Amino acid sequence: MAQYPNIINGYSIKTTKTFEVKNPSTGKVVGEAPRASTKQLDAAVEAAARAFDSWSKVSDEERSKACHGVAEAIEQNADELSRLLTREQGKPLNGLGSRFEIGGAQAWAHFTADLQLPVEIIQDNEEGKVEMYRKPIGVVGSITPWNWPVLIAVWHIIPAIRSGNTVVIKPSPYTPLSTIRLVQIMNEVLPAGVVNCITGEDSLGAAMSTHKGIGKIIFTGSCNTGKKVMESAAHTLKRLTLELGGNDAGIVMEDADPKEIAEGLFWGAFINGGQTCAALKRLYVHDKIYDKVCKHLINFSKKMPMGDGLNEDNVLGPISNKMQYKKVDRLVKDAVKKGGRVLLGANPKKKGAGYFYPITLIGDVDHGIALVDEEQFGPALPIIRYKDIDKVIAKANDNPNGLGGSIWSKDIKAAKAAALKMECGTVWINKHGAIQPNAPFGGVKSSGIGVEFGKEGLAEYTDIQVIMS
Ligand code: NAD
């Protein structure tokens, strides 16, 4: 059995206590992860703090070069990382799966390496000079979820170190192994202590949120945990970026072409089996084309092969863990009990290992049931009928989340007008969930605080210092 270590100050350190990580496709153990103690957390924070002394003084050029070096190291190890990710998380190698995730990690690392936060001259006249500097914060604590563990780790780590901070990362206990390998690979090209990794239970994340040696927490996960992090970080006034849950609405206007949009709707909703923060989670379709949209979505969905992600033919994998499988099953059963019409799926096969749940489309539902009101985070999509565009936008906004949203129409002007009325961080037109490293991404309302990506995302890893002369 492969036993994975904590990575502290560049060293691989095994622990006596470990926990098993299981493949959600087969139920077989993939490896054992360390169950780090709070003493080991202290050691990781100390190592990061020591490394900060020198790393924060390294030239901007050198830090940029080092981040490119990390991107190249990920590329060199892409095959190993992709396979490990598929085995512990379940997503297929192919399609929008592990290879796509590792490719994204490289692309984001390269792009972020080239970002800069130069000194800004706010004023320079006879009354004086005002300069604004962006200085690194210190040790950044990164807490990540299980859905896109490698990509999200890179989203946290690279801007943090690019701007001169050092990092202690704690991945989700469901998917720690690919992050441990990622940090090992990073340590081959970075100075010791710049990026450290410890793994354990949720309580380790809580200990990071209160840790005096950590200056900022970058957290990606559920709204409930995000609120807890914010509460416990208050005592040390940590800087926070919170990337939380979404319940994204997609609105199909009456002029959309049902056949043309079926593929985009499918992948918008079912990328990573729906286990994506900014996946399409509530679909509102105009009454006039409702049946046609459902028909084309059903037809497209039926063609998508699901199974063990190591099989190159599959583009959909299992739900990543038992906890999430049970949640999706409960929400679907509840929706059906309350009058939802099963258009596809909904009855998982009981036999065999693996948390496979079929692509599920539930029609004739509305607000007031959990599948619509809550984030399902799995392969089940409620489809809601509407007649009036203004009323449906108000309805879509009537939710505590505000991560993403989408409008589907041939009339781009009308779609943009509708987009501006939506209460969310990103609105896509005729697509859903596409993200890119130059566009700030984050949620409003309960979906989070702050943004990632681009210059705005990089700036979140700094404190401002103004010098007036
Ligand atoms: P989660 O909140 O259960 O766990 C996230 C991380 O927090 C894990 O590492 C966990 O161990 C840790 N944690 C748990 N309790 C903690 C505590 N009290 N203090 C500190 N850390 C603690 O979320 P999850 O189930 O792993 O991920 C799914 C959620 O993440 C979904 O809601 C999804 O929408 C959201 N998500 C958001 C984004 C985004 O960018 N907005 C991206 C991906 C996922």
Side-chain angles (χ1 to χ4, degrees):
M1 178 63 49
Q3 196 191 329
Y4 288 70
N6 286 318
I7 316 291
I8 300 175
N9 203 28
Y11 294 105
S12 294
I13 297 170
K14 291 201 174 149
T15 51
T16 42
K17 290 186 179 162
T18 59
F19 60 95
E20 287 179 342
V21 179
K22 290 186 179 160
N23 182 333
S25 286
T26 62
K28 288 191 182 143
V29 178
V30 181
E32 279 178 32
R35 197 185 289 274
S37 62
T38 47
K39 269 194 177 160
Q40 282 155 336
L41 166 63
D42 289 342
V45 174
E46 275 162 31
R50 274 196 307 277
F52 179 74
D53 281 343
S54 45
W55 184 249
S56 56
K57 295 180 188 89
V58 160
S59 76
D60 200 59
E61 217 178 350
E62 258 181 82
R63 284 205 296 259
S64 167
K65 217 171 130 194
C67 291
H68 280 300
V70 168
E72 281 151 23
I74 295 173
E75 189 173 359
Q76 280 153 18
N77 293 278
D79 188 54
E80 183 208 335
L81 280 171
S82 305
R83 286 179 182 278
L84 180 57
L85 180 57
T86 290
R87 285 165 63 226
E88 77 167 347
Q89 202 278 343
K91 67 183 61 181
L93 287 168
N94 264 334
L96 301 174
S98 294
R99 291 185 184 122
F100 171 78
E101 178 166 350
I102 303 301
Q106 290 160 41
W108 249 270
H110 275 307
F111 183 87
T112 311
D114 285 334
L115 286 176
Q116 281 185 330
L117 293 171
V119 180
E120 232 178 272
I121 311 293
I122 293 172
Q123 179 189 309
D124 190 6
N125 58 22
E126 61 285 353
E127 279 161 29
K129 191 169 183 181
V130 180
E131 296 159 289
M132 187 177 86
Y133 288 77
R134 291 224 167 242
K135 297 170 77 174
I137 295 163
V139 177
V140 170
S142 150
I143 304 174
T144 53
W146 48 260
N147 59 340
W148 295 89
V150 175
L151 190 54
I152 292 173
V154 164
W155 290 349
H156 289 189
I157 293 170
I158 300 297
I161 65 169
R162 174 68 190 88
S163 47
N165 304 279
T166 54
V167 177
V168 175
I169 184 169
K170 187 211 81 66
S172 164
Y174 290 114
T175 54
L177 306 180
S178 50
T179 304
I180 295 172
R181 268 305 286 144
L182 175 75
V183 173
Q184 277 180 327
I185 289 162
M186 287 182 172
N187 269 273
E188 286 166 16
V189 295
L190 291 172
V194 171
V195 182
N196 307 274
C197 177
I198 50 163
T199 70
E201 300 291 317
D202 292 348
S203 55
L204 199 59
M208 286 171 73
S209 312
T210 55
H211 203 289
K212 287 192 179 116
I214 292 179
K216 176 192 168 86
I217 295 278
I218 162 81
F219 172 84
T220 302
S222 63
C223 298
N224 280 343
T225 313
K227 287 175 193 168
K228 286 185 200 162
V229 169
M230 192 168 181
E231 212 177 321
S232 41
H235 303 283
T236 44
L237 221 67
K238 290 190 199 331
R239 280 78 187 109
L240 285 178
T241 301
L242 301 176
E243 295 292 353
L244 309 180
N247 193 355
D248 290 12
I251 299 175
V252 180
M253 291 169 88
E254 67 177 296
D255 70 332
D257 180 333
K259 193 170 178 202
E260 223 169 72
I261 64 172
E263 183 172 357
L265 288 176
F266 178 86
W267 286 115
F270 299 116
I271 178 170
N272 200 23
Q275 302 160 107
T276 298
C277 53
L280 171 48
K281 292 173 183 148
R282 294 175 280 158
L283 182 61
Y284 298 84
V285 182
H286 194 278
D287 185 44
K288 279 194 184 150
I289 56 168
Y290 186 92
D291 293 333
K292 277 193 181 153
V293 169
C294 290
K295 185 185 97 184
H296 287 290
L297 196 48
I298 293 166
N299 289 346
F300 189 88
S301 305
K302 279 182 177 166
K303 290 186 229 151
M304 295 295 113
M306 180 186 283
D308 188 335
L310 290 177
N311 178 335
E312 298 277 349
D313 295 334
N314 292 324
V315 295
L316 294 165
I319 292 181
S320 199
N321 53 66
K322 194 176 181 179
M323 173 275 297
Q324 197 58 34
Y325 180 95
K326 279 176 142 177
K327 180 175 181 187
V328 173
D329 196 38
R330 172 172 58 79
L331 294 183
V332 170
K333 281 188 178 133
D334 175 72
V336 174
K337 205 169 130 196
K338 290 180 177 151
R341 184 160 54 100
V342 178
L343 304 174
L344 188 70
N347 289 307
K349 283 192 193 125
K350 297 246 167 19
K351 58 178 187 240
Y355 303 122
F356 291 101
Y357 198 96
I359 293 297
T360 295
L361 302 171
I362 304 287
D364 297 338
V365 279
D366 209 334
H367 286 221
I369 62 162
L371 184 64
V372 176
D373 298 344
E374 292 175 23
E375 182 187 36
Q376 68 278 51
F377 214 61
L381 181 69
I383 311 178
I384 301 145
R385 200 184 284 268
Y386 80 89
K387 285 186 179 153
D388 180 279
I389 185 70
D390 287 324
K391 281 188 188 152
V392 80
I393 293 172
K395 228 170 162 179
N397 288 338
D398 185 18
N399 189 278
N401 293 115
L403 191 57
S406 58
I407 306 286
W408 304 72
S409 169
K410 286 186 197 134
D411 182 346
I412 302 299
K413 209 173 150 199
K416 277 194 188 159
L420 283 166
K421 292 181 191 160
M422 291 188 79
E423 294 170 1
C424 51
T426 307
V427 187
W428 293 276
I429 292 173
N430 294 323
K431 55 186 169 184
H432 196 112
I435 46 168
Q436 48 193 64
N438 58 354
F441 174 76
V444 300
K445 302 198 286 187
S446 288
S447 287
I449 292 180
V451 292
E452 294 186 278
F453 316 156
K455 255 177 115 168
E456 291 79 2
L458 189 63
E460 297 221 358
Y461 292 87
T462 63
D463 277 332
I464 289 174
Q465 185 176 51
V466 171
I467 299 202
M468 300 192 182
S469 55

